[in-house]
Amino acid sequence: MIRFSHIYIEEDAYRYPTTTKILAKYPNSILIKIQNYKKIFNRSNQNFQEQKNSVKLILAVKKDNSYYKGSEVVNSYGFTNFYYNTLILNCVYNCEYCYLQGMFNSGNVVIYVNIEDFFEETKKLLTDNPTYLCISYETDLLAFEDLVSYTSSWIEFAREHSNLIIEVRTKSNRYNLLQKIQPPENVILAWTISPDEIIKKYESKTPTLNRRLTDIQSALRDGWKIRICFDPILHVKDWRKIYTELVEKTFSVLDANKIFDISIGTFRINADYLKKMKKLRSNSDILHYPFERMEKLSVYPETKTNEIIEFMINQISKYYNKDKIFPT
């Protein structure tokens, strides 16, 4: 479990059970009462990367939107009712390419403690048509499961609402915290996997490829719908070799016939976020790549993007049904 030397708490947050449960796990942390988390989290002149060295926790009440329309840079898998929510802001990891460091001023973690309100708002969202909801969008929700059991809670909520499909995306190896749950048909556990070379150099604090694959193997055995995400694929030296080895290793461990589907995508990011990230990481080779601008996004040149996507589809389709590979 993550250590927090200081915990900031909105006054309104004290009345929620989630707050009580979290504080019970940190009897030695310094508690600081605040009026509005945004005055702490959104203030200017913060350094995201410096704060990552000693992350503080902020407990807040979400008072505005409980869900948002899905982003154009994320695959909607054919769903017109595509949304995401933000139960937690920021992540336990610190990947060099993560857009959160360009999106937020602060590297600290915000947990919205009023999960009951999220459920009620989501009920209003549901219609006769299936609704696709990503619940691990601006964090890695499963990585926080030993602190706050939001993934488990949302799985049980989904079980009661058949017209809701939720995706839980993760790089964690915390599947053991879900093992006792009977998997519902409308929940997808989506693991992002990367070559070990990429993990070691660019995905700070994340589990190794072996640990992720072991978790996926266990989840497949238990009957969960599993999405494998080769995303983002980074254009680095010897990328063909290292991603070929990634695909080979993945399917030497996992039973392809049990995988629900696969998504692939190259690195792409909001151009304004990238500008901020490059200042934070002036020595980053992957962030200082000569990207092209496509509307609001910074992307690899179209020829390079197409080359990478085509290459990955060809490699993966040696082991897996091409029709169930979704490029972004």
Side-chain angles (χ1 to χ4, degrees), residues 13 16 28 39 48 94 104 133 149 197 228 280-281 324:
Y16 289 90
N28 298 320
K39 292 182 179 180
F48 189 100
N94 191 21
F104 298 137
L133 180 67
S149 56
E197 294 91 335
I228 304 298
L280 288 171
R281 297 182 183 269
K324 297 181 72 177

Side-chain angles (χ1 to χ4, degrees), residues 82-148:
F82 170 39
Y83 299 90
Y84 70 95
N85 62 20
T86 54
L87 303 158
I88 298 177
L89 306 182
N90 270 330
C91 185
V92 298
Y93 308 129
N94 191 21
C95 298
E96 188 166 318
Y97 54 78
C98 180
Y99 73 94
L100 296 178
Q101 62 193 312
M103 182 177 184
F104 298 137
N105 290 333
S106 175
N108 293 321
V109 170
V110 175
I111 296 180
Y112 294 117
V113 297
N114 54 323
I115 187 174
E116 301 85 359
D117 295 333
F118 281 84
F119 289 148
E120 290 304 313
E121 289 300 310
T122 302
K123 288 178 185 177
K124 298 176 186 177
L125 176 65
L126 300 180
T127 65
D128 293 335
N129 296 317
T131 295
Y132 181 71
L133 180 67
C134 297
I135 68 169
S136 188
Y137 204 83
E138 292 176 358
T139 188
D140 189 317
L141 200 64
L142 185 54
F144 283 97
E145 188 71 3
D146 57 347
L147 171 57
V148 58

Side-chain angles (χ1 to χ4, degrees), residues 100-271:
L100 296 178
Q101 62 193 312
M103 182 177 184
F104 298 137
N105 290 333
S106 175
N108 293 321
V109 170
V110 175
I111 296 180
Y112 294 117
V113 297
N114 54 323
I115 187 174
E116 301 85 359
D117 295 333
F118 281 84
F119 289 148
E120 290 304 313
E121 289 300 310
T122 302
K123 288 178 185 177
K124 298 176 186 177
L125 176 65
L126 300 180
T127 65
D128 293 335
N129 296 317
T131 295
Y132 181 71
L133 180 67
C134 297
I135 68 169
S136 188
Y137 204 83
E138 292 176 358
T139 188
D140 189 317
L141 200 64
L142 185 54
F144 283 97
E145 188 71 3
D146 57 347
L147 171 57
V148 58
S149 56
Y150 277 2
T151 303
S152 302
S153 298
W154 275 91
I155 290 170
E156 295 307 324
F157 178 79
R159 194 189 307 278
E160 298 171 0
H161 298 86
S162 59
N163 56 340
L164 173 66
I165 299 167
I166 67 170
E167 183 206 75
V168 185
R169 187 164 297 202
T170 187
K171 292 177 183 174
S172 75
N173 64 321
R174 307 316 305 272
Y175 173 68
N176 62 301
L177 299 174
L178 304 181
Q179 272 190 307
K180 295 182 180 179
I181 300 175
Q182 184 67 27
E185 281 293 312
N186 55 334
V187 174
I188 300 169
L189 302 182
W191 262 275
T192 296
I193 58 174
S194 304
D196 275 320
E197 294 91 335
I198 298 296
I199 293 171
K200 291 174 183 176
K201 189 172 182 179
Y202 302 116
E203 297 186 0
S204 176
K205 302 179 182 178
T206 65
T208 63
L209 175 59
N210 280 338
R211 292 170 72 184
R212 296 185 209 181
L213 292 177
T214 298
D215 257 29
I216 298 169
Q217 193 175 38
S218 297
L220 286 171
R221 179 199 62 215
D222 292 341
W224 289 87
K225 285 185 176 177
I226 300 299
R227 171 170 294 143
I228 304 298
C229 306
F230 296 96
D231 187 5
I233 302 162
L234 301 176
H235 184 256
V236 294
K237 183 180 179 180
D238 297 328
W239 68 268
R240 289 174 177 269
K241 176 180 181 292
I242 66 174
Y243 282 100
T244 296
E245 291 173 351
L246 172 65
V247 172
E248 291 173 347
K249 183 168 185 176
T250 297
F251 291 104
S252 70
V253 174
L254 305 180
D255 184 348
N257 295 318
K258 292 184 178 180
I259 295 171
F260 180 65
D261 62 22
I262 290 176
S263 73
I264 58 175
T266 56
F267 179 62
R268 67 276 184 203
I269 193 167
N270 178 287

